[in-house]
Amino acid sequence: MESTEAKQKSFNEIINEDTPVLVDFYADWCAPCKMMTPILQQLKSAMGDKLTIIKIDTEKNPDVAIRYQVRGIPNLILFKKGQLLWQQAGVVQMPQLQQIIEQKLEQS
């Protein structure tokens, strides 16, 4: 997983790429957010290059969080070529998360 701070590309460049992108909005103080890290690592292992996963710290990037109406964290948003396909707040377990993502990508 890559943080947006580590990349030189802008958020818009990342979400507009051909590879679908799952964005995890989080904050360091958020306990449920910490639960998402191993789940997202499992998801990355399962989906490999079919999905890019990035984490956005809402404290450091409030403008992005506001743009996508992120009110609760953790908050997951799935993008494909810049289009928002799915958004959900709260912890989502790995099998359910993978199923939702694959289903949304098939429909798009």
Side-chain angles (χ1 to χ4, degrees):
M1 279 183 295
E2 304 158 27
S3 77
T4 51
E5 286 86 304
K7 288 188 126 186
Q8 295 303 308
K9 291 182 183 176
S10 74
F11 181 77
N12 283 340
E13 286 175 309
I14 295 167
I15 66 169
N16 280 292
E17 290 178 354
D18 289 339
T19 304
V21 179
L22 180 67
V23 182
D24 173 27
F25 286 91
Y26 76 99
D28 290 334
W29 50 263
C30 166
C33 297
K34 291 179 174 68
M35 294 168 60
M36 283 308 303
T37 301
I39 294 169
L40 294 173
Q41 288 168 339
Q42 290 173 357
L43 180 67
K44 184 64 182 166
S45 295
M47 297 196 70
D49 293 338
K50 291 188 285 184
L51 183 70
T52 299
I53 301 173
I54 62 171
K55 295 176 75 65
I56 301 276
D57 185 334
T58 57
E59 305 270 297
K60 293 180 182 155
N61 302 283
D63 52 331
V64 178
I66 290 165
R67 185 181 334 150
Y68 293 101
Q69 300 175 357
V70 173
R71 293 188 182 93
I73 50 175
N75 197 309
L76 301 171
I77 304 181
L78 179 65
F79 292 96
K80 184 175 180 185
K81 296 185 180 176
Q83 295 292 311
L84 193 155
L85 298 183
W86 172 77
Q87 180 171 4
Q88 182 171 323
V91 175
V92 183
Q93 295 303 319
M94 165 48 193
Q96 183 189 3
L97 183 57
Q98 185 174 357
Q99 183 180 12
I100 290 167
I101 289 170
E102 288 176 348
Q103 183 181 6
K104 296 294 178 188
L105 294 177
E106 281 172 24
Q107 292 170 355
S108 65

